[in-house]
Amino acid sequence: MTTPMQGVQVVDISQGYESYAGMMLAEFGASVVKVESLDGDYMRKLGPPFIAGESAAFMGVNRGKKSLALAWDQKEEARQVLRRLAARADVFLASLYPDEAEEMGLTYTRLQSLNPRLIYCSITPYGDEGPTANKRASELEMQGMFGHWRYLGQPKFHITPEPPLRHGVPLAAMASAIFAQQGIAAALIHRIRTGEGQKVAVSKAGALNSMRTIMFAAESEPDEWEGHTIGHTREPFHGTQTKDKAIYWGFAGAEEKFPEFLQAMGLADDPRFKGKAGFNLWLRPELTAVIDAKFKEMAAEEVISLIRGFGASAVYMHTFSTMSKDPQAIAMDMVPEFQHPKAGSVKTMGLPWWFSDTPPIVGTPPLLGQHTRQVLEEAGLSNAEIRELFQKGLVGESAP
């Protein structure tokens, strides 16, 4: 079966959730070599959960890759091998800070001199230029700097305010990886037309900033802490527990129907609800508590049907188990499986694309160094060279 990126050769030295970019390329059919240190990507130790000793987080962003265990982070001789790989590749993907790339001889300029057609993609917190380009920054710092904490927690004007919260999802890392994959695809199209490679620099700062779209610039006070809401233009949604399941609901877009909802709930004549709807209701948790108490006496399906009947929004708060059994999730193949050499059959989150003729491939995450010999042989190293690398402790391998 042909794939969209069949024949594209990728060398991926990124670590962490940034590796998601390489995984997307792999599932589009590119041959992606994940070059890891002898200790492996730090994600291999990230957990729980672990499945048969393998990190679920690592497996979730590294499907379909080959793993080469190489001491490139420690030894110049190993980096010489890495440069040989880059000289034959179409794409080089890295998450090195600019000063690290300079120190290791892995800059775009250095690798482009070996391979003028190379697409070199870097993912860093602040990009490759500017006064803070080399500043180390965590996910927490990135979310805080660009205001994504604004929509979590209760805001300062709530009667029960709470501190702002970090998104549980590594938003900066995952978003930058997605934008990196898009940039690489665009650069490959440019190379088809011109034969020229180029550098694609993706910053986590830029990824988070671009996700704010027009709202960040248009709001009258963009730094105001709003808390758990959708922004100035919409009321918040509200999570609650019914008799059997948790749901999420809200009347955004159907505010005029809220009085009818109160009527159906038997609360229309309750003086506490006079003139209260939408955002004003949410600011009064003693009022939402009244509604929540009634919902606890009703089944989730009944509550959802009632709310949707007024043109408002209500959904189940799925767990992984319930979501994977949802008929629509099954129809969209949202939870495919792969066979892992140690963990066996593992359910995973599929990519969102659907292709009529060249569907993405759900690959298997590699063991550390699982493909070391294969990768070195395909890169043109002789048996004597490979044997010497093993003798010097510059490479490692593991059997599947």
Side-chain angles (χ1 to χ4, degrees):
M1 179 177 63
T2 58
T3 57
M5 290 192 173
Q6 185 171 342
V8 175
Q9 304 291 316
V10 181
V11 175
D12 179 6
I13 66 168
S14 66
Q15 287 200 80
Y17 289 103
E18 292 89 328
S19 299
Y20 190 51
M23 190 192 82
M24 287 185 281
L25 297 174
E27 299 210 342
F28 277 139
S31 176
V32 181
V33 175
K34 183 174 180 67
V35 185
E36 305 182 64
S37 70
L38 298 183
D39 292 329
D41 186 333
Y42 75 83
M43 285 275 285
R44 290 187 179 274
K45 302 178 180 66
L46 191 61
F50 293 96
I51 306 173
E54 297 295 306
S55 165
F58 175 86
M59 291 194 287
V61 294
N62 284 288
R63 299 193 302 262
K65 301 179 184 180
K66 300 173 186 176
S67 174
L68 163 63
L70 177 70
W72 67 271
D73 59 326
Q74 299 176 1
K75 302 291 185 179
E76 171 57 26
E77 189 173 352
R79 288 193 286 274
Q80 292 175 7
V81 175
L82 181 55
R83 293 186 198 101
R84 289 179 66 173
L85 295 177
R88 302 164 58 96
D90 297 294
V91 177
F92 187 84
L93 179 60
S95 56
L96 296 173
Y97 288 91
D99 58 353
E100 291 179 318
E102 186 70 38
E103 180 182 348
M104 293 183 174
L106 296 173
T107 63
Y108 168 65
T109 301
R110 178 76 178 271
L111 299 186
Q112 192 264 349
S113 69
L114 304 174
N115 181 359
R117 290 172 52 84
L118 182 68
I119 309 296
Y120 181 112
C121 181
S122 67
I123 304 175
T124 60
Y126 295 107
D128 290 355
E129 305 289 341
T132 58
N134 289 312
K135 183 179 182 296
R136 276 54 175 167
S138 67
E139 177 71 28
L140 177 66
E141 292 174 82
M142 300 312 301
Q143 289 191 20
M145 180 175 182
F146 289 91
H148 284 266
W149 48 265
R150 300 171 64 212
Y151 303 126
L152 294 177
Q154 308 286 22
K156 64 183 181 182
F157 49 78
H158 196 280
I159 65 170
T160 56
E162 298 173 352
L165 304 171
R166 199 206 94 160
H167 281 269
V169 174
L171 207 59
M174 295 294 284
S176 60
I178 293 170
F179 284 122
Q181 185 270 334
Q182 293 171 346
I184 290 168
L188 285 170
I189 293 172
H190 172 78
R191 197 184 69 176
I192 290 172
R193 293 202 307 264
T194 67
E196 300 170 349
Q198 63 179 304
K199 182 175 182 178
V200 177
V202 179
S203 70
K204 296 178 183 179
L208 289 184
N209 190 55
S210 67
M211 289 171 64
R212 302 303 301 275
T213 62
I214 191 63
M215 290 301 296
F216 199 58
E219 290 174 353
S220 59
E221 179 48 79
D223 293 324
E224 186 72 15
W225 175 15
E226 297 181 36
H228 185 77
T229 181
I230 305 173
H232 287 303
T233 61
R234 306 301 294 269
E235 66 173 63
F237 291 90
H238 180 71
T240 192
Q241 179 67 43
T242 67
K243 183 190 295 185
D244 53 350
K245 296 176 182 177
I247 67 165
Y248 213 56
W249 66 280
F251 268 74
E255 293 88 349
E256 72 282 355
K257 295 289 187 179
F258 193 75
E260 295 179 37
F261 165 74
L262 291 177
Q263 183 75 39
M265 295 293 292
L267 296 170
D269 297 326
D270 190 322
R272 294 174 296 179
F273 286 89
K274 292 297 182 182
K276 300 293 190 301
F279 194 68
N280 290 327
L281 175 67
W282 174 70
L283 291 176
R284 301 288 299 277
E286 73 275 14
L287 300 185
T288 56
V290 175
I291 297 176
D292 289 349
K294 286 184 171 289
F295 282 169
K296 285 183 173 63
E297 300 172 356
M298 303 167 65
E301 185 175 351
E302 181 184 3
V303 174
I304 289 175
S305 178
L306 173 68
I307 294 172
R308 288 179 177 175
F310 295 107
S313 300
V315 295
Y316 293 109
M317 294 179 69
H318 275 307
T319 63
F320 176 80
S321 176
T322 60
M323 186 275 288
S324 63
K325 297 172 184 175
D326 184 271
Q328 187 61 31
I330 294 171
M332 297 172 67
D333 196 23
M334 292 175 64
V335 188
E337 296 186 20
F338 60 79
Q339 294 296 321
H340 190 270
K342 289 178 63 178
S345 180
V346 178
K347 290 183 178 181
T348 189
M349 296 298 182
L351 296 178
W353 301 289
W354 182 89
F355 287 70
S356 61
D357 299 313
T358 56
I361 302 166
V362 178
T364 298
L367 300 175
L368 176 59
Q370 181 178 342
H371 307 93
T372 293
R373 289 182 184 273
Q374 176 188 345
V375 169
L376 295 176
E377 289 171 356
E378 291 175 351
L381 276 74
S382 67
N383 289 334
E385 288 176 305
I386 296 172
R387 184 166 55 251
E388 184 179 5
L389 290 173
F390 275 103
Q391 290 172 346
K392 291 181 176 180
L394 297 178
V395 294
E397 66 179 340
S398 60

